[in-house]
Amino acid sequence: MKLSKKILLAVGIIFIVGLIIPYSFQNPVEGASRGDYNQQSYWYYPWGTSVTHKGVDIFKKKGTSVHPASGLEWVLFAGHMPGKGGNVVITLAPKWRLHYYAHMDKVDATPLSIVSHGSQLGTVGNSGNAASTPSHLHFGMMSLIPNPLDIDDSRQSWKKAWYMNPIPYLNAYHESAMAH
């Protein structure tokens, strides 16, 4: 087998493994409930220099722990991003999803580490362009596999092929927690 076929096979296997790893979801902000985020905030327009709000803000007291939303995530970036996000952690989760945790007060995650629900990524804050707002975690989700069916007539809608609405995931988590 030629090297290019071996590489293609390896990439295919890695891709499939990323799709079959279970995706368990929890609210990333410790102790947060449905009342700590706005049901209408995803893709809200107008939203400052971002034009539209491509995530959800989960409000909680500064210093509250932030955990991975999925049961298994690989930390791609952990540190300070000048400008909008401030103190940020970006992870790769199962199903080829990126999770974006922003405006944190403190970042505890280490780049290239593997984290799970019990790990602490950092704490809720208002860093970056959120300095004049109450403490919160901006949580965003993206898919590396675009879904063109999500494109609509809203502003920047072509980006919806990659962005995912985290609110249904948060709501399902809270409904499941209340059922138990």
Side-chain angles (χ1 to χ4, degrees), residues 93-132:
K95 311 295 182 215
W96 296 105
R97 295 174 181 171
L98 293 174
H99 289 174
Y100 177 69
Y101 306 86
H103 305 312
M104 292 197 284
D105 182 49
K106 180 176 79 163
V107 170
D108 296 318
T110 305
L112 304 181
S113 62
I114 303 292
V115 294
S116 62
H117 284 316
S119 307
Q120 181 166 307
L121 298 176
T123 59
V124 171
N126 60 344
S127 61
N129 67 350
S132 64

PDB file of all heavy atoms in Angstrom, residues 93-132:
ATOM      1  N   ALA A  93     -13.951  18.577  21.245  1.00  0.00           N
ATOM      2  CA  ALA A  93     -14.810  17.597  21.911  1.00  0.00           C
ATOM      3  C   ALA A  93     -15.215  16.515  20.909  1.00  0.00           C
ATOM      4  O   ALA A  93     -14.997  16.673  19.699  1.00  0.00           O
ATOM      5  CB  ALA A  93     -16.049  18.302  22.471  1.00  0.00           C
ATOM      6  N   PRO A  94     -15.814  15.421  21.393  1.00  0.00           N
ATOM      7  CA  PRO A  94     -16.297  14.389  20.465  1.00  0.00           C
ATOM      8  C   PRO A  94     -17.254  14.968  19.419  1.00  0.00           C
ATOM      9  O   PRO A  94     -17.820  16.034  19.606  1.00  0.00           O
ATOM     10  CB  PRO A  94     -17.030  13.415  21.388  1.00  0.00           C
ATOM     11  CG  PRO A  94     -16.338  13.559  22.701  1.00  0.00           C
ATOM     12  CD  PRO A  94     -16.016  15.036  22.787  1.00  0.00           C
ATOM     13  N   LYS A  95     -17.430  14.236  18.355  1.00  0.00           N
ATOM     14  CA  LYS A  95     -18.272  14.610  17.211  1.00  0.00           C
ATOM     15  C   LYS A  95     -17.660  15.776  16.436  1.00  0.00           C
ATOM     16  O   LYS A  95     -18.343  16.494  15.737  1.00  0.00           O
ATOM     17  CB  LYS A  95     -19.714  14.955  17.622  1.00  0.00           C
ATOM     18  CG  LYS A  95     -20.375  13.949  18.527  1.00  0.00           C
ATOM     19  CD  LYS A  95     -20.576  12.631  17.840  1.00  0.00           C
ATOM     20  CE  LYS A  95     -21.283  11.662  18.787  1.00  0.00           C
ATOM     21  NZ  LYS A  95     -20.835  10.300  18.613  1.00  0.00           N
ATOM     22  N   TRP A  96     -16.348  16.012  16.637  1.00  0.00           N
ATOM     23  CA  TRP A  96     -15.597  17.065  15.955  1.00  0.00           C
ATOM     24  C   TRP A  96     -16.173  18.442  16.249  1.00  0.00           C
ATOM     25  O   TRP A  96     -16.339  19.271  15.375  1.00  0.00           O
ATOM     26  CB  TRP A  96     -15.501  16.786  14.449  1.00  0.00           C
ATOM     27  CG  TRP A  96     -14.727  15.532  14.220  1.00  0.00           C
ATOM     28  CD1 TRP A  96     -15.227  14.321  13.855  1.00  0.00           C
ATOM     29  CD2 TRP A  96     -13.322  15.349  14.409  1.00  0.00           C
ATOM     30  NE1 TRP A  96     -14.210  13.384  13.792  1.00  0.00           N
ATOM     31  CE2 TRP A  96     -13.030  14.005  14.134  1.00  0.00           C
ATOM     32  CE3 TRP A  96     -12.276  16.179  14.796  1.00  0.00           C
ATOM     33  CZ2 TRP A  96     -11.756  13.478  14.215  1.00  0.00           C
ATOM     34  CZ3 TRP A  96     -10.997  15.656  14.880  1.00  0.00           C
ATOM     35  CH2 TRP A  96     -10.749  14.320  14.584  1.00  0.00           C
ATOM     36  N   ARG A  97     -16.464  18.660  17.534  1.00  0.00           N
ATOM     37  CA  ARG A  97     -16.990  19.945  17.975  1.00  0.00           C
ATOM     38  C   ARG A  97     -15.924  20.730  18.721  1.00  0.00           C
ATOM     39  O   ARG A  97     -15.167  20.175  19.507  1.00  0.00           O
ATOM     40  CB  ARG A  97     -18.198  19.724  18.892  1.00  0.00           C
ATOM     41  CG  ARG A  97     -19.338  19.095  18.133  1.00  0.00           C
ATOM     42  CD  ARG A  97     -20.474  18.736  19.012  1.00  0.00           C
ATOM     43  NE  ARG A  97     -21.514  18.121  18.190  1.00  0.00           N
ATOM     44  CZ  ARG A  97     -22.576  17.547  18.677  1.00  0.00           C
ATOM     45  NH1 ARG A  97     -22.776  17.508  19.977  1.00  0.00           N
ATOM     46  NH2 ARG A  97     -23.470  17.010  17.873  1.00  0.00           N
ATOM     47  N   LEU A  98     -15.890  22.024  18.476  1.00  0.00           N
ATOM     48  CA  LEU A  98     -15.031  22.925  19.225  1.00  0.00           C
ATOM     49  C   LEU A  98     -15.870  23.616  20.291  1.00  0.00           C
ATOM     50  O   LEU A  98     -16.997  24.037  20.010  1.00  0.00           O
ATOM     51  CB  LEU A  98     -14.419  23.992  18.304  1.00  0.00           C
ATOM     52  CG  LEU A  98     -13.419  23.496  17.274  1.00  0.00           C
ATOM     53  CD1 LEU A  98     -13.025  24.632  16.345  1.00  0.00           C
ATOM     54  CD2 LEU A  98     -12.190  22.913  17.944  1.00  0.00           C
ATOM     55  N   HIS A  99     -15.344  23.697  21.492  1.00  0.00           N
ATOM     56  CA  HIS A  99     -15.995  24.431  22.574  1.00  0.00           C
ATOM     57  C   HIS A  99     -15.142  25.650  22.889  1.00  0.00           C
ATOM     58  O   HIS A  99     -13.916  25.545  23.007  1.00  0.00           O
ATOM     59  CB  HIS A  99     -16.142  23.563  23.823  1.00  0.00           C
ATOM     60  CG  HIS A  99     -17.150  22.479  23.673  1.00  0.00           C
ATOM     61  ND1 HIS A  99     -17.343  21.520  24.634  1.00  0.00           N
ATOM     62  CD2 HIS A  99     -18.048  22.203  22.693  1.00  0.00           C
ATOM     63  CE1 HIS A  99     -18.306  20.701  24.252  1.00  0.00           C
ATOM     64  NE2 HIS A  99     -18.737  21.093  23.075  1.00  0.00           N
ATOM     65  N   TYR A 100     -15.797  26.782  23.035  1.00  0.00           N
ATOM     66  CA  TYR A 100     -15.132  28.065  23.280  1.00  0.00           C
ATOM     67  C   TYR A 100     -15.628  28.616  24.611  1.00  0.00           C
ATOM     68  O   TYR A 100     -16.820  28.910  24.769  1.00  0.00           O
ATOM     69  CB  TYR A 100     -15.478  29.011  22.129  1.00  0.00           C
ATOM     70  CG  TYR A 100     -14.932  30.411  22.239  1.00  0.00           C
ATOM     71  CD1 TYR A 100     -13.571  30.667  22.119  1.00  0.00           C
ATOM     72  CD2 TYR A 100     -15.793  31.490  22.413  1.00  0.00           C
ATOM     73  CE1 TYR A 100     -13.079  31.963  22.186  1.00  0.00           C
ATOM     74  CE2 TYR A 100     -15.302  32.792  22.482  1.00  0.00           C
ATOM     75  CZ  TYR A 100     -13.958  33.023  22.362  1.00  0.00           C
ATOM     76  OH  TYR A 100     -13.470  34.300  22.428  1.00  0.00           O
ATOM     77  N   TYR A 101     -14.737  28.693  25.584  1.00  0.00           N
ATOM     78  CA  TYR A 101     -15.044  29.189  26.929  1.00  0.00           C
ATOM     79  C   TYR A 101     -14.331  30.537  27.066  1.00  0.00           C
ATOM     80  O   TYR A 101     -13.091  30.576  27.055  1.00  0.00           O
ATOM     81  CB  TYR A 101     -14.507  28.233  27.991  1.00  0.00           C
ATOM     82  CG  TYR A 101     -14.957  26.793  27.844  1.00  0.00           C
ATOM     83  CD1 TYR A 101     -14.268  25.893  27.024  1.00  0.00           C
ATOM     84  CD2 TYR A 101     -16.060  26.318  28.547  1.00  0.00           C
ATOM     85  CE1 TYR A 101     -14.669  24.569  26.912  1.00  0.00           C
ATOM     86  CE2 TYR A 101     -16.467  24.996  28.439  1.00  0.00           C
ATOM     87  CZ  TYR A 101     -15.768  24.135  27.618  1.00  0.00           C
ATOM     88  OH  TYR A 101     -16.161  22.817  27.511  1.00  0.00           O
ATOM     89  N   ALA A 102     -15.077  31.642  27.194  1.00  0.00           N
ATOM     90  CA  ALA A 102     -14.447  32.965  27.166  1.00  0.00           C
ATOM     91  C   ALA A 102     -14.867  33.842  28.338  1.00  0.00           C
ATOM     92  O   ALA A 102     -15.836  33.541  29.038  1.00  0.00           O
ATOM     93  CB  ALA A 102     -14.791  33.663  25.854  1.00  0.00           C
ATOM     94  N   HIS A 103     -14.137  34.920  28.508  1.00  0.00           N
ATOM     95  CA  HIS A 103     -14.328  35.942  29.549  1.00  0.00           C
ATOM     96  C   HIS A 103     -14.024  35.413  30.946  1.00  0.00           C
ATOM     97  O   HIS A 103     -14.499  35.949  31.932  1.00  0.00           O
ATOM     98  CB  HIS A 103     -15.748  36.550  29.513  1.00  0.00           C
ATOM     99  CG  HIS A 103     -16.129  37.116  28.194  1.00  0.00           C
ATOM    100  ND1 HIS A 103     -15.308  37.963  27.488  1.00  0.00           N
ATOM    101  CD2 HIS A 103     -17.242  36.951  27.436  1.00  0.00           C
ATOM    102  CE1 HIS A 103     -15.909  38.295  26.362  1.00  0.00           C
ATOM    103  NE2 HIS A 103     -17.084  37.692  26.296  1.00  0.00           N
ATOM    104  N   MET A 104     -13.239  34.352  31.037  1.00  0.00           N
ATOM    105  CA  MET A 104     -12.941  33.770  32.341  1.00  0.00           C
ATOM    106  C   MET A 104     -12.053  34.697  33.169  1.00  0.00           C
ATOM    107  O   MET A 104     -11.260  35.471  32.636  1.00  0.00           O
ATOM    108  CB  MET A 104     -12.314  32.393  32.177  1.00  0.00           C
ATOM    109  CG  MET A 104     -13.297  31.383  31.608  1.00  0.00           C
ATOM    110  SD  MET A 104     -12.791  29.673  31.830  1.00  0.00           S
ATOM    111  CE  MET A 104     -11.545  29.530  30.598  1.00  0.00           C
ATOM    112  N   ASP A 105     -12.204  34.599  34.481  1.00  0.00           N
ATOM    113  CA  ASP A 105     -11.362  35.351  35.399  1.00  0.00           C
ATOM    114  C   ASP A 105      -9.974  34.722  35.441  1.00  0.00           C
ATOM    115  O   ASP A 105      -8.969  35.404  35.389  1.00  0.00           O
ATOM    116  CB  ASP A 105     -11.998  35.364  36.795  1.00  0.00           C
ATOM    117  CG  ASP A 105     -11.186  36.182  37.786  1.00  0.00           C
ATOM    118  OD1 ASP A 105     -10.829  37.328  37.453  1.00  0.00           O
ATOM    119  OD2 ASP A 105     -10.912  35.676  38.891  1.00  0.00           O
ATOM    120  N   LYS A 106      -9.956  33.393  35.507  1.00  0.00           N
ATOM    121  CA  LYS A 106      -8.705  32.646  35.639  1.00  0.00           C
ATOM    122  C   LYS A 106      -8.791  31.413  34.749  1.00  0.00           C
ATOM    123  O   LYS A 106      -9.844  30.790  34.639  1.00  0.00           O
ATOM    124  CB  LYS A 106      -8.544  32.242  37.113  1.00  0.00           C
ATOM    125  CG  LYS A 106      -7.310  31.465  37.446  1.00  0.00           C
ATOM    126  CD  LYS A 106      -7.213  31.210  38.945  1.00  0.00           C
ATOM    127  CE  LYS A 106      -8.121  30.067  39.310  1.00  0.00           C
ATOM    128  NZ  LYS A 106      -7.843  29.478  40.618  1.00  0.00           N
ATOM    129  N   VAL A 107      -7.680  31.068  34.115  1.00  0.00           N
ATOM    130  CA  VAL A 107      -7.591  29.853  33.291  1.00  0.00           C
ATOM    131  C   VAL A 107      -6.715  28.852  34.031  1.00  0.00           C
ATOM    132  O   VAL A 107      -5.586  29.164  34.406  1.00  0.00           O
ATOM    133  CB  VAL A 107      -7.005  30.165  31.896  1.00  0.00           C
ATOM    134  CG1 VAL A 107      -6.696  28.884  31.145  1.00  0.00           C
ATOM    135  CG2 VAL A 107      -7.946  31.043  31.104  1.00  0.00           C
ATOM    136  N   ASP A 108      -7.250  27.654  34.260  1.00  0.00           N
ATOM    137  CA  ASP A 108      -6.505  26.592  34.929  1.00  0.00           C
ATOM    138  C   ASP A 108      -6.071  25.485  33.969  1.00  0.00           C
ATOM    139  O   ASP A 108      -5.209  24.682  34.304  1.00  0.00           O
ATOM    140  CB  ASP A 108      -7.350  25.962  36.042  1.00  0.00           C
ATOM    141  CG  ASP A 108      -7.666  26.943  37.148  1.00  0.00           C
ATOM    142  OD1 ASP A 108      -6.765  27.706  37.544  1.00  0.00           O
ATOM    143  OD2 ASP A 108      -8.823  26.958  37.621  1.00  0.00           O
ATOM    144  N   ALA A 109      -6.694  25.408  32.802  1.00  0.00           N
ATOM    145  CA  ALA A 109      -6.394  24.337  31.848  1.00  0.00           C
ATOM    146  C   ALA A 109      -4.992  24.492  31.277  1.00  0.00           C
ATOM    147  O   ALA A 109      -4.442  25.591  31.203  1.00  0.00           O
ATOM    148  CB  ALA A 109      -7.420  24.352  30.718  1.00  0.00           C
ATOM    149  N   THR A 110      -4.430  23.369  30.873  1.00  0.00           N
ATOM    150  CA  THR A 110      -3.108  23.332  30.263  1.00  0.00           C
ATOM    151  C   THR A 110      -3.259  22.951  28.793  1.00  0.00           C
ATOM    152  O   THR A 110      -3.925  21.945  28.490  1.00  0.00           O
ATOM    153  CB  THR A 110      -2.228  22.278  30.971  1.00  0.00           C
ATOM    154  OG1 THR A 110      -2.205  22.569  32.363  1.00  0.00           O
ATOM    155  CG2 THR A 110      -0.823  22.282  30.429  1.00  0.00           C
ATOM    156  N   PRO A 111      -2.655  23.711  27.877  1.00  0.00           N
ATOM    157  CA  PRO A 111      -2.764  23.358  26.461  1.00  0.00           C
ATOM    158  C   PRO A 111      -2.311  21.925  26.193  1.00  0.00           C
ATOM    159  O   PRO A 111      -1.371  21.428  26.815  1.00  0.00           O
ATOM    160  CB  PRO A 111      -1.836  24.364  25.772  1.00  0.00           C
ATOM    161  CG  PRO A 111      -1.787  25.528  26.711  1.00  0.00           C
ATOM    162  CD  PRO A 111      -1.873  24.925  28.083  1.00  0.00           C
ATOM    163  N   LEU A 112      -3.020  21.275  25.295  1.00  0.00           N
ATOM    164  CA  LEU A 112      -2.776  19.914  24.822  1.00  0.00           C
ATOM    165  C   LEU A 112      -3.086  18.837  25.858  1.00  0.00           C
ATOM    166  O   LEU A 112      -2.771  17.671  25.652  1.00  0.00           O
ATOM    167  CB  LEU A 112      -1.351  19.755  24.280  1.00  0.00           C
ATOM    168  CG  LEU A 112      -0.981  20.728  23.159  1.00  0.00           C
ATOM    169  CD1 LEU A 112       0.438  20.470  22.665  1.00  0.00           C
ATOM    170  CD2 LEU A 112      -1.969  20.636  22.006  1.00  0.00           C
ATOM    171  N   SER A 113      -3.714  19.207  26.958  1.00  0.00           N
ATOM    172  CA  SER A 113      -4.129  18.207  27.944  1.00  0.00           C
ATOM    173  C   SER A 113      -5.515  17.665  27.592  1.00  0.00           C
ATOM    174  O   SER A 113      -6.266  18.283  26.852  1.00  0.00           O
ATOM    175  CB  SER A 113      -4.128  18.803  29.354  1.00  0.00           C
ATOM    176  OG  SER A 113      -5.061  19.862  29.447  1.00  0.00           O
ATOM    177  N   ILE A 114      -5.817  16.495  28.123  1.00  0.00           N
ATOM    178  CA  ILE A 114      -7.143  15.890  27.983  1.00  0.00           C
ATOM    179  C   ILE A 114      -7.894  16.169  29.277  1.00  0.00           C
ATOM    180  O   ILE A 114      -7.367  15.926  30.368  1.00  0.00           O
ATOM    181  CB  ILE A 114      -7.048  14.362  27.751  1.00  0.00           C
ATOM    182  CG1 ILE A 114      -6.189  14.047  26.512  1.00  0.00           C
ATOM    183  CG2 ILE A 114      -8.430  13.744  27.651  1.00  0.00           C
ATOM    184  CD1 ILE A 114      -6.788  14.471  25.189  1.00  0.00           C
ATOM    185  N   VAL A 115      -9.127  16.689  29.158  1.00  0.00           N
ATOM    186  CA  VAL A 115      -9.922  17.041  30.335  1.00  0.00           C
ATOM    187  C   VAL A 115     -11.276  16.347  30.261  1.00  0.00           C
ATOM    188  O   VAL A 115     -11.735  15.952  29.196  1.00  0.00           O
ATOM    189  CB  VAL A 115     -10.097  18.573  30.454  1.00  0.00           C
ATOM    190  CG1 VAL A 115      -8.756  19.247  30.734  1.00  0.00           C
ATOM    191  CG2 VAL A 115     -10.723  19.170  29.200  1.00  0.00           C
ATOM    192  N   SER A 116     -11.915  16.217  31.426  1.00  0.00           N
ATOM    193  CA  SER A 116     -13.233  15.583  31.499  1.00  0.00           C
ATOM    194  C   SER A 116     -14.123  16.410  32.425  1.00  0.00           C
ATOM    195  O   SER A 116     -13.689  17.417  32.980  1.00  0.00           O
ATOM    196  CB  SER A 116     -13.097  14.151  32.007  1.00  0.00           C
ATOM    197  OG  SER A 116     -12.556  14.165  33.317  1.00  0.00           O
ATOM    198  N   HIS A 117     -15.368  15.943  32.613  1.00  0.00           N
ATOM    199  CA  HIS A 117     -16.336  16.691  33.422  1.00  0.00           C
ATOM    200  C   HIS A 117     -15.767  17.153  34.767  1.00  0.00           C
ATOM    201  O   HIS A 117     -16.066  18.240  35.214  1.00  0.00           O
ATOM    202  CB  HIS A 117     -17.591  15.859  33.685  1.00  0.00           C
ATOM    203  CG  HIS A 117     -18.527  15.761  32.516  1.00  0.00           C
ATOM    204  ND1 HIS A 117     -18.878  16.834  31.734  1.00  0.00           N
ATOM    205  CD2 HIS A 117     -19.189  14.705  32.006  1.00  0.00           C
ATOM    206  CE1 HIS A 117     -19.719  16.443  30.796  1.00  0.00           C
ATOM    207  NE2 HIS A 117     -19.924  15.151  30.928  1.00  0.00           N
ATOM    208  N   GLY A 118     -14.957  16.361  35.420  1.00  0.00           N
ATOM    209  CA  GLY A 118     -14.451  16.711  36.741  1.00  0.00           C
ATOM    210  C   GLY A 118     -13.313  17.716  36.744  1.00  0.00           C
ATOM    211  O   GLY A 118     -12.968  18.270  37.778  1.00  0.00           O
ATOM    212  N   SER A 119     -12.724  17.969  35.583  1.00  0.00           N
ATOM    213  CA  SER A 119     -11.600  18.908  35.496  1.00  0.00           C
ATOM    214  C   SER A 119     -12.086  20.345  35.610  1.00  0.00           C
ATOM    215  O   SER A 119     -13.195  20.664  35.214  1.00  0.00           O
ATOM    216  CB  SER A 119     -10.894  18.754  34.152  1.00  0.00           C
ATOM    217  OG  SER A 119     -10.530  17.424  33.900  1.00  0.00           O
ATOM    218  N   GLN A 120     -11.232  21.220  36.127  1.00  0.00           N
ATOM    219  CA  GLN A 120     -11.568  22.645  36.150  1.00  0.00           C
ATOM    220  C   GLN A 120     -10.774  23.349  35.065  1.00  0.00           C
ATOM    221  O   GLN A 120      -9.548  23.312  35.063  1.00  0.00           O
ATOM    222  CB  GLN A 120     -11.272  23.273  37.511  1.00  0.00           C
ATOM    223  CG  GLN A 120     -11.640  24.760  37.543  1.00  0.00           C
ATOM    224  CD  GLN A 120     -11.686  25.340  38.928  1.00  0.00           C
ATOM    225  OE1 GLN A 120     -12.362  24.821  39.792  1.00  0.00           O
ATOM    226  NE2 GLN A 120     -10.971  26.440  39.139  1.00  0.00           N
ATOM    227  N   LEU A 121     -11.502  23.988  34.142  1.00  0.00           N
ATOM    228  CA  LEU A 121     -10.861  24.744  33.063  1.00  0.00           C
ATOM    229  C   LEU A 121     -10.432  26.125  33.535  1.00  0.00           C
ATOM    230  O   LEU A 121      -9.462  26.689  33.038  1.00  0.00           O
ATOM    231  CB  LEU A 121     -11.816  24.903  31.886  1.00  0.00           C
ATOM    232  CG  LEU A 121     -12.275  23.622  31.194  1.00  0.00           C
ATOM    233  CD1 LEU A 121     -13.289  23.949  30.115  1.00  0.00           C
ATOM    234  CD2 LEU A 121     -11.092  22.873  30.621  1.00  0.00           C
ATOM    235  N   GLY A 122     -11.180  26.674  34.481  1.00  0.00           N
ATOM    236  CA  GLY A 122     -10.927  28.022  34.971  1.00  0.00           C
ATOM    237  C   GLY A 122     -12.107  28.478  35.795  1.00  0.00           C
ATOM    238  O   GLY A 122     -12.869  27.658  36.311  1.00  0.00           O
ATOM    239  N   THR A 123     -12.272  29.803  35.890  1.00  0.00           N
ATOM    240  CA  THR A 123     -13.367  30.359  36.678  1.00  0.00           C
ATOM    241  C   THR A 123     -14.079  31.465  35.910  1.00  0.00           C
ATOM    242  O   THR A 123     -13.495  32.128  35.047  1.00  0.00           O
ATOM    243  CB  THR A 123     -12.867  30.912  38.025  1.00  0.00           C
ATOM    244  OG1 THR A 123     -11.896  31.932  37.777  1.00  0.00           O
ATOM    245  CG2 THR A 123     -12.261  29.811  38.888  1.00  0.00           C
ATOM    246  N   VAL A 124     -15.337  31.657  36.246  1.00  0.00           N
ATOM    247  CA  VAL A 124     -16.180  32.685  35.639  1.00  0.00           C
ATOM    248  C   VAL A 124     -15.590  34.067  35.916  1.00  0.00           C
ATOM    249  O   VAL A 124     -15.078  34.329  37.004  1.00  0.00           O
ATOM    250  CB  VAL A 124     -17.619  32.591  36.205  1.00  0.00           C
ATOM    251  CG1 VAL A 124     -18.472  33.791  35.773  1.00  0.00           C
ATOM    252  CG2 VAL A 124     -18.274  31.280  35.797  1.00  0.00           C
ATOM    253  N   GLY A 125     -15.659  34.937  34.932  1.00  0.00           N
ATOM    254  CA  GLY A 125     -15.162  36.293  35.103  1.00  0.00           C
ATOM    255  C   GLY A 125     -15.800  37.254  34.127  1.00  0.00           C
ATOM    256  O   GLY A 125     -16.921  37.030  33.653  1.00  0.00           O
ATOM    257  N   ASN A 126     -15.088  38.316  33.796  1.00  0.00           N
ATOM    258  CA  ASN A 126     -15.557  39.281  32.801  1.00  0.00           C
ATOM    259  C   ASN A 126     -14.366  39.908  32.071  1.00  0.00           C
ATOM    260  O   ASN A 126     -14.322  41.109  31.854  1.00  0.00           O
ATOM    261  CB  ASN A 126     -16.467  40.337  33.429  1.00  0.00           C
ATOM    262  CG  ASN A 126     -15.785  41.144  34.512  1.00  0.00           C
ATOM    263  OD1 ASN A 126     -14.731  40.758  35.022  1.00  0.00           O
ATOM    264  ND2 ASN A 126     -16.366  42.265  34.868  1.00  0.00           N
ATOM    265  N   SER A 127     -13.417  39.065  31.669  1.00  0.00           N
ATOM    266  CA  SER A 127     -12.222  39.537  30.975  1.00  0.00           C
ATOM    267  C   SER A 127     -12.532  39.853  29.513  1.00  0.00           C
ATOM    268  O   SER A 127     -13.604  39.558  29.007  1.00  0.00           O
ATOM    269  CB  SER A 127     -11.099  38.495  31.091  1.00  0.00           C
ATOM    270  OG  SER A 127     -11.490  37.278  30.494  1.00  0.00           O
ATOM    271  N   GLY A 128     -11.572  40.445  28.846  1.00  0.00           N
ATOM    272  CA  GLY A 128     -11.743  40.806  27.438  1.00  0.00           C
ATOM    273  C   GLY A 128     -12.707  41.965  27.283  1.00  0.00           C
ATOM    274  O   GLY A 128     -12.726  42.881  28.103  1.00  0.00           O
ATOM    275  N   ASN A 129     -13.554  41.896  26.262  1.00  0.00           N
ATOM    276  CA  ASN A 129     -14.481  42.993  26.021  1.00  0.00           C
ATOM    277  C   ASN A 129     -15.716  42.931  26.928  1.00  0.00           C
ATOM    278  O   ASN A 129     -16.668  43.664  26.738  1.00  0.00           O
ATOM    279  CB  ASN A 129     -14.902  43.061  24.550  1.00  0.00           C
ATOM    280  CG  ASN A 129     -15.735  41.874  24.107  1.00  0.00           C
ATOM    281  OD1 ASN A 129     -15.878  40.890  24.825  1.00  0.00           O
ATOM    282  ND2 ASN A 129     -16.267  41.954  22.906  1.00  0.00           N
ATOM    283  N   ALA A 130     -15.697  42.053  27.930  1.00  0.00           N
ATOM    284  CA  ALA A 130     -16.805  41.941  28.883  1.00  0.00           C
ATOM    285  C   ALA A 130     -16.497  42.656  30.195  1.00  0.00           C
ATOM    286  O   ALA A 130     -17.210  42.478  31.183  1.00  0.00           O
ATOM    287  CB  ALA A 130     -17.116  40.466  29.155  1.00  0.00           C
ATOM    288  N   ALA A 131     -15.452  43.482  30.220  1.00  0.00           N
ATOM    289  CA  ALA A 131     -15.008  44.127  31.460  1.00  0.00           C
ATOM    290  C   ALA A 131     -16.089  44.971  32.121  1.00  0.00           C
ATOM    291  O   ALA A 131     -16.098  45.114  33.340  1.00  0.00           O
ATOM    292  CB  ALA A 131     -13.765  44.976  31.189  1.00  0.00           C
ATOM    293  N   SER A 132     -17.025  45.500  31.349  1.00  0.00           N
ATOM    294  CA  SER A 132     -18.069  46.354  31.928  1.00  0.00           C
ATOM    295  C   SER A 132     -19.379  45.600  32.161  1.00  0.00           C
ATOM    296  O   SER A 132     -20.408  46.218  32.432  1.00  0.00           O
ATOM    297  CB  SER A 132     -18.313  47.566  31.021  1.00  0.00           C
ATOM    298  OG  SER A 132     -18.809  47.136  29.767  1.00  0.00           O
TER     299      SER A 132
END
